[in-house]
Every structure is written in structure tokens, then in C-alpha cells.
Amino acid sequence: MNTFDYVRPSTVPDAVAAAAAPGSAYLASGTNLLDLMKVGVARPDRLVDITHIAGLDRIERLPDGGLRIGALVRNADLAHDPDFARSYPAVAEALLSGASAQLRNAATIGGNLLQRPRCAYFYDPFSACNKRAPGSGCDALHGENRLHAVLGWSPSCIAVHPSDFCVPLIALDAFVEIEGRNGRREISLDALHLLPGDTPERETALEPGDLIVALRLPARAAVFAGHARYLKLRERTSYAFAVVSAAAALEMEDGAIRQARLALGGVAAKPWRARAAEESLAGERPGEAIFRRAAEAALADAKPSGDNAFKIELARRIVVRALALAAAGTPARLPALPGSPFSSAPGALHDA
Amino acid sequence: MTLEILPQASPHIRHGSNIGQPLTRRDGVLKVTGRARYAADNHPPGMLYAVLAVSSIARGRVKSLNVEAAKSHKGVVDVMTSVNRPKLAQDPDEKSNPFMFRLDLLQNDRVRYANQPIAVVIAESLEAATEGAALLAPQYEAEPARVGLDGAESFVPPGVGVGGPAEIRKGDVEAGLDAATKRIDATYETPSQYHNAMEPHAIVAAWDGDRLSIDTPSQGLAMARGRIAGLFGLSPENIHIRSPFLGGGFGSKGLISGPQILGVLAAKLVGRPVKLVLRRDQMYGPVGHRPPTRQRLRIGVDGEGRLTALDHRAKTASSTFDDFFEAAADISHTLYASPAIATSHEAVRIDIGTPLFMRAPGEATGSIALESAIDEAAAACGLDPLAFRVRNYAEVEPISGKPFSSKALRECYAQGAERFGWARRPLAPRQMRDKDGFLVGWGVGTATFPALMFHAEARAIIRRDGTGLVESGAHDMGQGAWTALAQIAADGLALDLDQIEFRAGSSDLPDAGIAGGSAHTATAGMAIHSAGADAIAKLAELATRDERSPLYGAGNAGLVARNGRLRRRDDESRSESYAEILARAGLGEIEGRGASAADPAAQSTYAMHAHGAVFAEVKVDPDLGQIRATRLVGAFAAGRVINPRLVRSQYHGGMIWGVSFALNEQAIIDRRSGRVMNADLAEYHVPVNADIVSIEALLVHEDDPYVNALGVKGVGEIGVTGAAGAVANAVWHATGMRVRRFPIKLEDVLTPAG
Ligand SMILES: Cc1cc2nc3c(=O)[nH]c(=O)nc-3n(C[C@H](O)[C@H](O)[C@H](O)COP(=O)(O)OP(=O)(O)OC[C@H]3O[C@@H](n4cnc5c(N)ncnc54)[C@H](O)[C@@H]3O)c2cc1C
Ligand code: SF4
């Protein structure tokens, strides 16, 4: 069999030391990494299993009111944490709209942030892919690319970042805490994922050995709790990646928008923060026209990378809808079909 | 094989006959406790693991394989390629009957489709074999792949489906179109679909000299055995195949596939038992699939809303090396009355594995196009689509003029419509909204599937203690044959279900034919029932000839079998138990034999089909285009119902496939390489639970005296037909947009920007 070293450090420094060697990869729950290893896309020489490091599975309130989420917290556990869901409901909704119940029970939040793209040509070792084999070309570019990027892409790579979780996180100014060979640092989530440019093989700002130890949500992000939604268009009602998605969060004051947060998913190689759109909303009263204007601003630079022009208009519309839903207020209970346009449809009795 | 039923209090409360009882699956407990042994659960001593290496190009030849690298990998025992593959007695490219399909068994270095097996690595562990296969690093001489329905020159195939003519016509279609007041001319496209049964094809093969023992899922044990016997030059008696359970078949396990034979070859090469299980992505090539179609329908309608012409032309694709042509247009032969009907097929040969049978082959692809076109015709006439269908109701089979052996379709329309609430449907599209603002649409489709009968045999034994043993090499793909056929078997012997032992799923039992064409319950059931009747007749013979029996002199016709006793018809108090009769005759048991086959006389007189009506509700987000099938009601008439619970489950599964057909399922094929790019269950979308909100199947009573003595038609495939069209029509009714390329995607129903 394809042999590799398997190490199971019990402390963060041991993990970092073990993973700094070339060819190493961190293994969290493996729902993404092991799939990639099975198809031969990832062939690490050494797996550094981080699931036995103590202390990385906690959700803590910080003295400043922010929340710190250990990298090993499971997707489902975070989404169902009452304190978390109350403060950051759109993030909980995004988590529950992803994958399946079984996967969410296993997947860690660190793994979710760092999941690899779902581009079929990336997953297929026999296709040309600049991300997998730099310089080999991009078979998606003139191939089956209906669901590929419309923002921030380059001819070297048109893949999108698949995570739902990251979309509201980036809207809410989340930070990641990283432990590396030179100690601990933190960067904004916005700075974690990179656009492809000429180096699509570089997906993140992480250096060899860098371990994400935690994710932080600032206290001020909770001001949006009353008006925050995540909406995700899918090709079936559940268990599918986003065609496009949007997270919208509003801070309302006397019927007007004090400040807005907006991000898009499924459109670019990173979760896409729409700052110009956010600014266009500040001070306005919610309404179709200003939402549409915000949507235009969010997609101003969009261009199709293939057979996917429809995604641009669809992204505009989902922005309008997500903003309208956010303006209407966060529902008291998480909808039965989280993130679905059908979340209010009768007959849906379960988390799907 | 005997089903090892777990000890349990008999849940089978019997009111009258076994047939008709809604029994739960007798194998259910074994399955939910993981004790049902599927093919890949077998591990004979000394077993090795085989893994296929498959081609990553669609056309060309394998230039080289790094066999040395694979062989030197720890745990690898051997690598089988076209160079060292054991000899076969028959060329896998030979075709001695139309039901025999060419197999890829490493006969040479050619590659004729993506995912074609090009080598087999055999190792001590699955992991070692998998890595060995990766180490082969094949080098190819690739040729440009021919991809899609326009990928090659089109021709008229020699035949379509199972030997049907490619073109059939009745009346003058052009004249009918000319005479019409309304005309529809529309082209529909259906995608390639691939088999994704939960259980992939798997085989455990063990040789013992010239004897061969096999565990593998099969929908046709005797044919599989015959095929293997032919390929290896063995006598069929020397081959034993066990197939007690299939984790789904849907046609893909009807004929033994190339990879299964490769497992047998691998076992022969290494002289040890070998297990070979396909990986999910390896299902997308060598085990058959549903080919793409492009169908043009022209319909003429007169001022009264009656068809004047129906022209259905289908284009499909087959492989470059074999002949399977999806008979998509043939559905237009049977459903709607028209003075002129023409159906025709053309095809291209492209670099794909040979398409084969996939649940309702031909009917499913044809149905979604025909039902859409009929809906378009109804709309063009300003008629309710259900009323339009009833107006064009076929009282006799349109293409042949034969009367139907039975046809309760009118009742299906009526009962389904009533249950669904169809009467409240507004005629125009885009009229209905729910309280949340979603567009709501209602659609209908007619379901149909031929009632077929094949050949089968069975054996029934009444034992000394009065219990029964019934044997037939029948196949349970999950549909519930272990239960439904046992119900028939018990009735055949006039015993309670728990008084009989039923054996099935093994090639050493009487040939039960093929579990395909929705004909297995009818075919195997008839053989089983006749075997029981034969045993009873023999027993009656013993009793009526024996002076010591209270039944003496009653004559065969004067007896009736009930609850393990033979009774005089004229005086039921005079009776004798099976055990008593056998004991007195000094017999340990008595055996009856039964066979079944289609009745050619009835078939030439009558058209035989099951029918149904499917009603669908969809909701569509008006701005975002996301679609959900929120309600399905199907009403089906398929003759006698052996087990309503199992039948309903078949209808549900079929209708869900219909939803899948209309909204989800599609192989995404790279236009340049011809390779399937979504060959996994995450990306090859079928509906999940959240997609099926409400589903209901009504069983409409239908007596059919002609199909077979049991009156049973098939229920396995009909659910797919009708349902797909109903959903597509509901999408039109919700949005006002007629999408003619399936599956319907969210961008297809977006209103233009602005
Ligand atoms: C069928 C399927 C459907 C899915 N659908 C969705 C969906 O709809 N929406 C969605 O958002 N996601 C979806 N996912 C993806 C899923 O969310 C991810 O697989 C999961 O979150 C990964 O978490 P993990 O713990 O299993 O990570 P792993 O697979 O263990 O790791 C993933 C990657 O992250 C790296 N890594 C993990 N933890 C750390 C860390 N702490 N520091 C540094 N590197 C780390 C690993 O080295 C690896 O490269 C789906 C997955 C599958 C298989
Ligand atoms: S889009 Fe990116 S990931 Fe996909 S094939 Fe091109 S380079 Fe690779």
C-alpha cells in the first residue's frame, strides 16, 4: 500500500515540529483529506493527526466578549452550541446547510476552513490542473465549468472555495489563530485564502507547519445577531455544494441600516466579502431598490469563466434575497432546512 | 439458499390467502442487523483482493504498463494484463445471440471507452492491490474521443431495445399533421445516466479444479452461469453462483459484467480465491448505463382536441463495438390514440461503454419526452392536460389495434386526480403561489410499462410432516422477492407462510429466468405456483386412489387444498392432512414441478401493459430558480397485487427516480475527453430525503385474466415513467417556462434580469 508516516502529537508544538517537514499534512477528521488521498490527489509522506491534541476542542467566551473556537470543534457541535447560535446565527445556519449530518458530526472547523476546492479536474489525477500540478494547465477553463468562479479568477485557475461556513465568518471579520515555527500569530480570515493569480497552487497564507489552533469571532460581530441570514442555492434541497450563496448581516437602528455585512460563497477561490456593497447600504432604509444596488456593487467586477454567466445574475439575486431575509429579522429558531430558500416550506421536519 | 430467518414470533397474521397480504420483508431483520450476507461479505480461506486498473482515456491503446513496479510493491501477488490473462474458450468479442454483449476482458491493448479495465492487480490486501494498480502508471496512445450525440455520423440501427424494429409506422403522419389545427414540434434531450446501486458489482470467485464457486449479485443466475460456462469452456453444472441478496440491480446486474468475469479470471491466474469489488467511479463505464437521447416529437391535434398524428423520432448513442439502442420512441406505440403514428430511431457510435438496461430502458427516456410533448399539445389547445389525455385515451393499443388484456388507466386518472386535488388546478401557468410566495405548479404524466413474461422453473415439495419446501433460483434485488415469491409459494401449496421453506438466490436451484423487464414476480411466481399445484395434484392422486382415505373416489376435481389439508369440495368435513396422506402412502415427500412462459396465443390477441397516472406538485423560487418536488401522487394499475407494501415501495422508488430524471440526475461528461467528471455520489446527484417531501402510491384494482393465471403484471419499472414527465410539466405550470433539456436546472427557470 501507499505507505506514509502517521504521527499523533499530543501538543501543539510537537504537531508544528512534525508537520514542518516537507510532504507533511495535518489530519483532522479526514472527511476531505482522506478522500483526496484515496483518489491519489494528495499523497502526503507524513500524516500528523491533530485530533489528540488536548484543548483544541473548546468554545470559550473571551474577556472582551468575543468567542474563541478551537480548531477541533466539530461542525455540528458548534452549530448547536446555544450561546454561539444566539450570537452568530448566520454562521450556525451556514454550518448546518453544509454537507450531511454525518459529515458535520465528524468534520472539524479547522478542516472546514481549509477544505480543498471541489473542481472535478482538481479531483481527477488524470486532468491538467495548475493547482495540483503547477504549470500543467487548467482543464476546467474550457471544460465543464458551469459551477466555476465568476469573481477573482485568473486563466490559471477558475475554481471556487466550497465552504459555507467561511462565508458568514468572513462577513463578520473572523480571525484565525495560527501556530507556526515562529510561534503564534493571528490573521483575518480574509487574509487566509488567496486568489489564484499565477500561483493557484498557493491556496492559503499558511506556511509549512502552520497549524490553525482557533477561530475567533469578535464581540462586535454579535451586534448583527438580530438580522443575520445565510442563504445557499443548491441543485438539490440538501447535501450539495452551493451554486452560489450569500451571508447578509445588518445592524438596524430606528428602521435604518446602521451597518451591513455581506459576503458571497461559490463565486471565487475565497469566500468573497462585498465591502463596496456593504458601504452602499449604510444609513439606508431596507428595500428592494437599495438591495439591488448593493447586489450590483457586489458583482460589479464579475465575469464568467466559462458556461457560468448565469451565476452572476443569480448571485445578485441571492444577495437581494439574503438582505431581505436579514432585514426581516433572524428567525427565533433555526429553520428546518438551514440556508435553503425553502426553509419556510411546510413538510420539512428535520435538519437536512 | 435458504433465508435464515431470525427466531421471532410470527408477525404474519393471515386472513385468507397469503397473496395480497402487506407483509414486511422477511429478510428485513437480517438486513438491518447487518447479517444479510452480500457477495463482498464473503471471505473464503486464502482469499486475495483484486483491484481493477481502468483506462483514463476514452479511445486509443495502452502503450505500456509498469507491471514491474506494481509487482514489486509489497503484498502484490500478480498483475493480470492482456499478456498473461488466462486463456478463454470463447472470444469475449464473440456474440452468439442478441442477448450476449461484448465484454472487455483484457483481450488486447485497445481502449474503447473511459474506465475500461486494462489490468487487474491481485494482492494480499485491498490496500496493496489498490496501490499496485496506481503504480501501473499506464501510458497510452490516445486518439480523439468521439463524444456526445453529435460526436459521430448518425445511422439507423438494425434494431432497438430487445430486437424491436428501429422504425414503425401506422397511418400517414404527414397527412395527419397537415390536417391538424394545432401542431407541436419540439425537441427534448435526456442525459447519460449511470448505474449507482448502493452495492457496486462485486465477486468472490474460487476455483477447485474445473469447478467454480462464485458469490456475486445477479439478476439472472442461469444466464450468468451460461455465460461463464461458455467463456471458460466449463459445463454449467460445474459452476455454482450464490446471489441471495443484491444491493440494488436496476438492470446493471441482469447480465454478468466484464469486471465480474475478470474476478473469475484473476482467481484462475493466481490459483486462489479472489475478491473483486468495483469502486464507485469504476461503475461509470463497464456495467451499462442509460445513453443520452435527443427526441423530436411532432404532434397534430384537431379542433376537438384529438390527435391526428404522432411522430416520435429518437436519436441515441451506443458504443463503437456493440449494439444496444435505447428504444426511446417506442413508448409512443401504446399510450395515446392517433390515426397516424410513426416512431423511428437513429444512433451514433461514440467512445463509451455499451449502454444497457437501466430501470425502464427506453420507456423512461421516451416517457419524459412524450409526456412533455402531450402537455405542450394540451396547452396549445387550451385544454387541461388531464382532460386532454383522457380525450386521447387509447381504447385499443394504438400501434397494433389489439385490445388490452386489461387497462384500468381511466380509474388511475380518476383516483389519482381525486387524491391530488387536480380539479383545483388553474389552466394557465404561473398562476399559483403558496403563502411564502413560491411558484406552485401541478403536472400530470401517464405511466406505462409492458407486462412481460419470461421462462422460469420451480420445484415444490410437500414433506412428511406436512410442511412445504419450494425452490426457485429467483433473485431479490431488494424489491422483496424473498417475501412476495414465498407468499405465492405458500398459496401454491395451500400452506401458511411459516409452514414453508423457500429457497432462492442460488444457481443450483431451478432456473428462475431473469429478474428484469418487471416480469420476475409474474414469471418466477407462476412457475412456483404451478409447482405447488403440481405437488398438490400428485398428493390428491394418492388420496383419491386410496380406499383408506376419506377422500377416496372424490376425483381430482372434487378436492380443494386448504391450510395443509385436502378437502372434498362437496363436503369439507371430509378431509385429510398432507402428512396423513404421505404417511399412509409410506412416502417421505412428494415433489411437484412447475414452469412458466408467456402464452403466445394470448400475446398475439392482446396488448399487455401496466398503466398509471402520476401527479406532481413542484415549488419554484420565483427569483432564484431553485426547484423542489413537494408532492407526488401516483395511481397505478398493474393487475393483481401480491404484496401491497412491497408494491408501494416499488412505486415510490420509481417515482423518486422520476424526480431524479426530471431534476437531478446527469453524468457530466467532458466534451473533449469523453470522461465522466462526476463519477461519485457527492456530485452525481439523485434526490435526498429532503427532496421528497410527500409521496403516495395508490393501488388501483385491476383484474387481468390473460397476462398469466395469477393475473400479475410488473411494478418494478413503471414508476419511473409518467413521474418524470409529471414533474417536468409541473415545472412548466409553475413557471410558464418549458424546459426541454433534462434535468431541469435552476438557471433554466430564471426570469430574465431586469
Ligand atoms: C460529500 C461531501 C459533501 C460536502 N458538502 C459540503 C458543503 O455542502 N458545504 C461545506 O462547506 N462543506 C462540505 N463538505 C466539506 C466538509 O465541510 C469538509 O470535508 C470538512 O469540513 C473538513 O473537515 P475535516 O476535519 O474532516 O478536515 P480534514 O479532511 O481532516 O482536513 C482538510 C484539510 O485541512 C487541513 N487541516 C485540517 N485541520 C487543520 C488545522 N487545524 N490546521 C491546519 N490545517 C488543517 C488538512 O491538512 C486538510 O488539508 C462536504 C464534504 C463531503 C465529503
Ligand atoms: S480550475 Fe483550478 S483546480 Fe480546477 S483544474 Fe483549473 S487549476 Fe485545477
Side-chain angles (χ1 to χ4, degrees):
Chain A
M1 89 193 68
N2 173 24
T3 52
F4 48 81
D5 288 339
Y6 171 82
V7 295
R8 207 160 78 180
S10 51
T11 67
V12 170
D14 286 353
V16 172
S24 300
Y26 286 121
L27 173 69
S29 282
T31 61
N32 188 212
L33 181 59
L34 294 187
D35 276 2
L36 289 164
M37 288 173 67
K38 284 187 214 159
V39 296
V41 168
R43 284 179 89 88
D45 300 320
R46 171 188 281 182
L47 276 187
V48 182
D49 182 345
I50 55 175
T51 57
H52 293 261
I53 301 178
L56 294 186
D57 58 353
R58 285 202 284 268
I59 307 171
E60 307 157 83
R61 237 340 132 184
L62 298 172
D64 69 358
L67 208 63
R68 183 173 185 276
I69 303 147
L72 291 179
V73 172
R74 311 280 168 179
N75 285 206
D77 290 339
L78 181 60
H80 292 297
D81 181 90
D83 188 28
F84 171 78
R86 213 174 304 117
S87 305
Y88 312 107
V91 188
E93 187 166 15
L95 274 172
L96 293 178
S97 76
S100 66
Q102 295 88 333
L103 284 159
R104 294 192 298 265
N105 286 341
T108 65
I109 64 120
N112 192 320
L113 301 184
L114 293 174
Q115 60 177 295
R116 311 294 307 277
R118 306 303 289 197
C119 170
Y121 300 94
F122 169 71
Y123 260 78
D124 168 38
F126 306 104
S127 294
C129 170
N130 288 326
K131 190 181 276 298
R132 190 167 22 75
S136 63
C138 168
D139 269 347
L141 193 56
H142 300 290
E144 306 309 315
N145 49 23
R146 195 177 139 257
L147 298 177
H148 280 70
V150 293
L151 282 164
W153 56 272
S154 77
S156 72
C157 179
I158 60 174
V160 300
H161 194 264
S163 168
D164 294 301
F165 181 46
C166 288
V167 181
L169 285 180
I170 208 158
L172 297 177
D173 286 331
F175 274 78
V176 284
E177 289 179 20
I178 298 162
E179 180 100 0
R181 281 168 299 177
N182 302 317
R184 190 161 295 211
R185 67 187 197 278
E186 58 176 58
I187 60 172
S188 78
L189 181 63
D190 207 2
L192 179 67
H193 301 101
L194 307 178
L195 290 176
D198 295 329
T199 52
E201 70 279 12
R202 261 189 80 70
E203 268 167 36
T204 69
L206 297 183
E207 301 291 335
D210 276 358
L211 177 73
I212 293 186
V213 288
L215 173 77
R216 277 211 332 263
L217 274 158
R220 63 180 182 282
V223 302
F224 301 101
H227 294 273
R229 287 305 295 273
Y230 181 69
L231 191 62
K232 172 181 180 184
L233 287 181
R234 277 164 275 195
E235 303 204 296
R236 55 184 170 190
T237 308
S238 177
Y239 198 38
F241 288 95
V243 176
V244 289
S245 71
L250 304 172
E251 186 191 357
M252 303 296 294
E253 196 176 58
D254 302 330
I257 298 166
R258 187 155 181 270
Q259 54 165 336
R261 296 294 175 78
L262 185 67
L264 287 159
V267 294
K270 58 183 291 186
W272 193 264
R273 178 88 180 256
R275 291 182 199 273
E278 292 175 0
E279 278 154 29
S280 78
L281 290 164
E284 300 282 354
R285 294 200 163 263
E288 173 91 20
I290 67 132
F291 292 161
R292 184 75 202 175
R293 196 177 71 200
E296 298 291 345
L299 277 300
D301 296 330
K303 60 177 192 304
S305 59
D307 298 331
N308 56 2
F310 76 94
K311 282 181 71 167
I312 299 173
E313 174 58 17
L314 207 53
R316 290 193 192 103
R317 292 185 187 189
I318 199 171
V319 164
V320 173
R321 178 72 63 80
L323 286 167
L325 288 173
T330 308
R333 288 188 52 198
L334 256 178
L337 290 172
S340 169
F342 294 110
S343 60
S344 52
L349 300 171
H350 53 90
D351 289 353
Chain B
M1 309 227 96
T2 301
L3 190 62
E4 304 145 49
I5 297 286
L6 299 172
Q8 55 182 327
S10 172
H12 304 301
I13 301 157
R14 206 162 78 81
H15 312 276
S17 70
N18 295 285
I19 289 178
Q21 296 300 311
L23 305 182
T24 55
R25 282 177 177 73
R26 297 166 65 232
D27 46 344
V29 173
L30 287 180
K31 285 185 174 169
V32 298
T33 53
R35 273 178 281 181
R37 188 186 283 257
Y38 288 82
D41 296 332
N42 291 287
H43 299 90
M47 188 190 82
L48 297 173
Y49 296 81
V51 165
L52 292 186
V54 298
S55 136
S56 62
I57 62 165
R59 181 185 180 197
R61 59 174 277 270
V62 179
K63 259 195 326 205
S64 68
L65 291 161
N66 195 345
V67 173
E68 279 322 303
K71 270 191 160 168
S72 52
H73 187 72
K74 190 160 169 281
V76 170
V77 173
D78 210 340
V79 176
M80 184 167 74
T81 69
S82 58
V83 176
N84 64 340
R85 185 265 268 156
K87 290 245 166 328
L88 288 169
Q90 188 184 30
D91 180 355
D93 276 323
E94 191 183 314
K95 208 172 156 81
S96 50
N97 69 65
F99 237 114
M100 183 179 272
F101 288 89
R102 299 193 166 97
L103 300 171
D104 288 285
L105 302 178
L106 307 174
Q107 52 264 47
N108 51 45
D109 61 3
R110 283 298 304 170
V111 172
R112 35 198 194 184
Y113 55 93
N115 286 336
Q116 178 192 312
I118 54 172
V120 183
V121 178
I122 306 127
E124 299 285 350
S125 69
L126 176 63
E127 291 77 7
T130 302
E131 183 61 11
L135 289 170
L136 286 173
Q139 300 295 310
Y140 303 98
E141 206 174 275
E143 294 162 40
R146 290 155 288 191
V147 184
L149 286 170
D150 300 311
E153 211 172 305
S154 133
F155 64 100
V156 175
V160 295
V162 188
E167 298 187 359
I168 292 189
R169 53 186 64 241
K170 170 199 115 167
D172 185 339
V173 162
E174 297 306 327
L177 287 169
D178 286 345
T181 53
K182 290 277 191 301
R183 273 172 221 94
I184 291 297
D185 183 345
T187 300
Y188 306 87
E189 289 199 36
T190 65
S192 305
Q193 297 181 353
Y194 280 80
H195 282 288
N196 272 290
M198 284 306 294
E199 177 204 33
H201 292 62
I203 187 161
V204 176
W207 288 87
D208 177 6
D210 62 353
R211 304 187 72 83
L212 180 57
S213 165
I214 292 176
D215 295 282
T216 200
S218 171
Q219 294 174 245
L221 282 165
M223 281 179 72
R225 193 170 70 153
R227 185 75 163 114
I228 295 169
L231 283 166
F232 288 89
L234 298 175
S235 146
E237 292 71 52
N238 282 4
I239 304 169
H240 185 191
I241 311 177
R242 289 165 300 272
S243 177
F245 306 107
L246 288 81
F250 309 107
S252 76
K253 294 163 185 165
L255 302 163
I256 195 143
S257 66
Q260 286 161 295
I261 305 280
L262 286 170
V264 180
L265 279 162
K268 183 151 188 155
L269 180 75
V270 295
R272 283 167 67 177
V274 161
K275 167 150 75 176
L276 188 153
V277 182
L278 285 190
R279 263 195 340 249
R280 178 65 49 187
D281 57 303
Q282 294 174 339
M283 303 271 295
Y284 291 69
V287 299
H289 68 283
R290 202 193 294 284
T293 70
R294 184 181 298 142
Q295 303 175 54
R296 181 175 176 204
L297 275 117
R298 293 189 302 155
I299 295 178
V301 191
D302 68 16
E304 243 99 270
R306 293 202 165 77
L307 300 196
T308 59
L310 171 57
D311 181 28
H312 193 159
R313 303 180 188 180
K315 183 174 189 181
T316 186
S318 195
S319 70
T320 55
F321 56 93
D322 214 337
D323 295 325
F324 179 91
F325 300 99
E326 177 98 350
D330 285 1
I331 191 134
S332 286
H333 295 164
T334 54
L335 268 186
Y336 300 106
S338 171
I341 296 176
T343 59
S344 61
H345 296 85
E346 60 178 310
V348 290
R349 291 197 182 279
I350 54 178
D351 299 304
I352 54 176
T354 306
L356 281 170
F357 308 93
M358 184 154 163
R359 205 174 189 181
E363 289 84 6
T365 39
S367 172
I368 193 167
L370 174 63
E371 292 305 314
S372 295
I374 287 288
D375 225 60
E376 296 205 45
C381 299
L383 286 172
D384 172 84
L386 178 59
F388 185 74
R389 283 169 171 82
V390 173
R391 193 164 302 186
N392 289 287
Y393 196 84
E395 302 293 351
V396 295
E397 187 181 48
I399 199 78
S400 67
K402 287 186 211 170
F404 289 101
S405 58
S406 65
K407 180 177 178 181
L409 176 57
R410 244 192 208 95
E411 292 76 4
C412 295
Y413 284 140
Q415 291 181 29
E418 166 73 25
R419 182 77 195 170
F420 187 80
W422 183 262
R424 298 194 309 275
R425 178 184 181 274
L427 188 58
R430 219 177 168 97
Q431 298 298 306
M432 295 197 290
R433 297 255 184 172
D434 73 358
K435 65 172 179 21
D436 300 307
F438 293 106
L439 297 167
V440 180
W442 289 356
V444 62
T446 309
T448 186
F449 197 83
L452 305 173
M453 281 284 286
F454 303 125
H455 173 77
E457 291 162 20
R459 199 159 78 101
I461 288 169
I462 300 171
R463 293 157 161 162
R464 180 202 297 272
D465 63 359
T467 63
L469 166 66
V470 179
E471 296 183 330
S472 176
H475 317 88
D476 194 327
M477 295 100 71
Q479 85 277 34
W482 276 117
T483 308
L485 293 179
Q487 286 176 266
I488 297 174
D491 273 13
L493 287 175
L495 289 169
D496 267 350
L497 196 54
D498 47 17
Q499 290 174 297
I500 65 153
E501 182 187 338
F502 176 60
R503 293 186 184 155
S506 178
S507 70
D508 56 358
L509 301 174
D511 174 7
I514 187 163
S518 296
H520 201 43
T521 308
T523 305
M526 271 307 301
I528 285 167
H529 203 264
S530 321
D534 187 41
I536 299 275
K538 286 184 177 153
L539 199 65
E541 182 90 5
L542 283 181
T544 53
R545 289 189 175 186
D546 187 336
E547 292 173 13
R548 293 163 297 172
S549 166
L551 304 173
Y552 176 66
N556 239 345
L559 292 187
V560 57
R562 195 170 290 138
N563 295 332
R565 301 183 79 81
L566 294 183
R567 298 167 189 275
R568 285 187 72 114
R569 266 184 215 282
D570 52 2
D571 177 5
E572 291 214 6
S573 69
R574 290 167 70 189
S575 73
E576 199 167 26
S577 74
Y578 299 172
E580 285 163 345
I581 298 169
L582 286 173
R584 189 155 2 74
L587 290 177
E589 60 178 42
I590 199 159
E591 181 186 307
R593 292 265 173 180
S596 63
D599 170 1
Q603 280 195 321
S604 63
T605 315
Y606 295 102
M608 301 176 178
H609 303 274
H611 289 93
V614 183
F615 297 83
E617 174 183 273
V618 303
K619 293 190 176 178
V620 182
D621 190 299
D623 310 312
L624 306 175
Q626 196 165 318
I627 307 169
R628 195 176 190 211
T630 45
R631 202 152 62 87
L632 294 168
V633 174
F636 299 93
R640 187 141 175 230
V641 170
I642 301 296
N643 181 323
R645 184 192 301 266
L646 297 174
V647 165
R648 240 178 232 117
S649 138
Q650 286 298 300
Y651 291 149
H652 287 171
M655 288 194 280
I656 292 168
W657 202 320
V659 174
S660 189
F661 207 121
L663 301 180
N664 299 118
E665 201 171 340
Q666 172 180 31
I668 295 168
I669 297 170
D670 185 277
R671 59 198 82 172
R672 303 152 301 183
S673 69
R675 298 174 63 220
V676 177
M677 296 311 296
N678 60 338
D680 63 72
L681 284 175
E683 303 298 332
Y684 184 91
H685 286 172
V686 298
V688 295
N689 276 320
D691 289 303
I692 305 299
V693 182
S694 162
I695 184 165
E696 213 179 333
L698 310 180
L699 312 186
V700 174
H701 186 86
E702 186 179 73
D703 292 313
D704 194 316
Y706 305 109
V707 277
N708 48 59
L710 286 171
V712 171
K713 296 178 180 175
V715 299
E717 293 165 271
I718 187 172
V720 188
T721 72
V727 171
N729 294 336
V731 170
W732 170 78
H733 189 239
T735 62
M737 287 180 237
R738 179 64 69 177
V739 182
R740 301 191 182 88
R741 194 188 53 212
F742 304 107
I744 300 172
K745 301 198 172 64
L746 36 66
E747 66 262 34
D748 296 329
V749 294
L750 289 182
T751 47

